[in-house]
Amino acid sequence: MSRRLRRIAASVAAALCAIALPAFAAPARADNPIVQTIYTADPAPLVHNGRVYLYTGHDEDNSTYFTMKEWRVYSSADMVNWTDHGSPMSLATFSWASADAWAGQVINRNGRFYWYVPVKNRATGRMAIGVGVSSSPTGPFTDAIGRPLVENGEIDPTVFIDDGGQAYLYWGNPNLWYVRLNTDMISYSGSATRIPLTTAGFGTRTGNTARPTLYEEGPWVYKRNGLYYNVFAARCCSEFIGYSTAPGPTGPWTYRGTVMPTQGSSFTNHAGIVDFNGGSYFFYHNGALPGGGGYTRSVAVEKFTYNADGTIPTMSMTTAGAPQNGTLNPYVRQEAETIAWSSGAETEPSSEGTMNVGYLENGDYVKVKGVAFGGGAGSFTARVASGANGGRIEVRTGSPSGALAGTCTVPGTGGWQAWTSVSCATTGLTGTQDLYLRFTGGAGYLFNVNWWQFTPRTTSTPTVNAHD
């Protein structure tokens, strides 16, 4: 969201939260929504090489419709500290698309990543499914075929590969369709098949003869222990998340109940489920950020455990989010855009590659959760740039106003992408603690941060505030 709106909304939200929502009044304990720098929607998680990659849509600020022009990707090794990888694919990726970068999903096959997304076809004015492809989970993605893969005016593709290697693509609103993808993942055999939306398969909706079942949109299909799951947005509006199961990838489906009831300030919801490092995780979206709502949504996550019979428990939205699965190593380079929670910070592409944290003003901060300092950190180094007069990075623990472990002075560097490194001594950083980098200085924007790293106190400590 824009800085001006964030500042206004944050002041209002702080007053309300102090009265009614103590979890939001204590951001040190609130890690949902996952991303606070922009509005995100329609989560699609993918587990790859020890990380969860989270693909999302991007709701534009001040939206009064689903105004979406690009997709974003984030990743995490511990389910709480998420690295912003920017926008590896947008409407401009598809020369034939005119609007509506809506909900999609990424899958990996044979070392390539395929991103199935719905966009509006400029030539027909209808929604169609396009395919982006990349050799990296973070992109960049290119148009795999230069045209729609399939087009019938419906949306929300989900994809999975069955145990025997057969891939399936499902999508649809108001119907539910599938095709059998070929091994190249960019073509299919046969024609699109419509799955019967029976009340036995997808629940009974009352008061809507045009849509007798609960199925609305946003299917998420996967297989677990020989059982096929279809988790979907149900009964608009406002939507809840329901699910069905089947003995095979195309049915017959049996409706199983509610995963997440209608709640939150968004009238839509969209689910994604993965298993990671021994846990099961349910991703969804809501309107919980300041200024949030049905067209300005934010992605969140909950950890859950399947019931013994394979059914999914009913979950509620929380501000706590998932527990940390591991710790973060401060003695290797960490991207500044790796964030558990932030206030005021935004991200942008860096001239040195990846992204950087920027647009920082006095009092803004970034939280990194569960940092394993071990025997102790002796110094802190950050890569910084400032087109103004710079400022200070306060290294704190526990909260934005917690114990001060060190302060690095950031000079003006002559440009917002003119990078230098600053270092300062630190004390009191032992064990595993939540780290807060608080940015202070004068009025206006202060500086950008690209990455940071600590040095153990057993090694030589660099000169305080040395610059290169």
Side-chain angles (χ1 to χ4, degrees), residues 43-47 52 54 105 158 219-224 229-232 241-243 259-260 270-276 279-284 301-302 304 306 312-313 315:
L46 169 71
V47 176
V52 175
L54 179 61
Q105 186 182 349
T158 184
W220 181 270
V221 178
Y222 64 101
K223 185 180 183 180
R224 178 181 181 272
Y229 293 74
N230 187 340
V231 183
F232 55 89
I241 300 297
Y243 80 109
V259 177
M260 177 169 280
H270 192 102
I273 292 178
V274 292
D275 287 343
F276 176 66
S280 298
Y281 297 89
F282 174 75
F283 292 81
Y284 59 97
V301 65
E302 308 295 339
F304 73 97
Y306 288 89
I312 303 174
M315 288 170 266

Side-chain angles (χ1 to χ4, degrees), residues 55-224:
Y55 302 88
T56 77
H58 174 199
D59 286 340
E60 296 290 328
D61 293 351
N62 300 313
S63 290
T64 56
Y65 181 63
F66 302 110
T67 307
M68 307 171 77
K69 303 174 183 178
E70 63 177 11
W71 297 269
R72 308 281 294 205
V73 61
Y74 304 83
S75 74
S76 178
D78 61 14
M79 297 303 297
V80 297
N81 297 304
W82 292 89
T83 301
D84 185 345
H85 299 284
S87 173
M89 195 168 77
S90 70
L91 287 174
T93 303
F94 303 97
S95 61
W96 49 271
S98 62
D100 300 340
W102 289 355
Q105 186 182 349
V106 175
I107 197 166
N108 174 32
R109 188 165 202 172
N110 298 325
R112 293 173 71 79
F113 298 84
Y114 298 89
W115 200 340
Y116 301 87
V117 291
V119 291
K120 184 172 289 185
N121 187 341
R122 180 180 289 105
T124 65
R126 297 197 307 173
M127 294 301 293
I129 308 301
V131 189
V133 64
S134 175
S135 60
S136 166
T138 58
F141 286 77
T142 59
D143 188 348
I145 55 178
R147 56 176 172 78
L149 172 64
V150 65
E151 178 178 346
N152 63 3
E154 301 194 36
I155 60 173
D156 291 356
T158 184
V159 60
F160 96 104
I161 302 173
D162 209 348
D163 296 339
Q166 177 63 61
Y168 293 85
L169 180 74
Y170 306 79
W171 75 99
N173 176 351
N175 301 295
L176 179 58
W177 303 83
Y178 75 90
V179 293
R180 291 181 172 88
L181 293 171
N182 296 326
T183 55
D184 64 8
M185 302 300 285
I186 57 174
S187 63
Y188 59 90
S189 299
S191 58
T193 301
R194 186 164 64 181
I195 294 174
L197 292 177
T198 65
T199 55
F202 296 91
T204 302
R205 186 186 316 212
T206 59
N208 189 330
T209 57
R211 294 195 183 202
T213 76
L214 293 172
Y215 176 83
E216 185 72 26
E217 59 185 351
W220 181 270
V221 178
Y222 64 101
K223 185 180 183 180
R224 178 181 181 272

Side-chain angles (χ1 to χ4, degrees), residues 9-27 288 290 319:
S11 62
V12 175
L16 293 175
C17 291
I19 299 171
L21 295 172
F24 274 125
T319 59

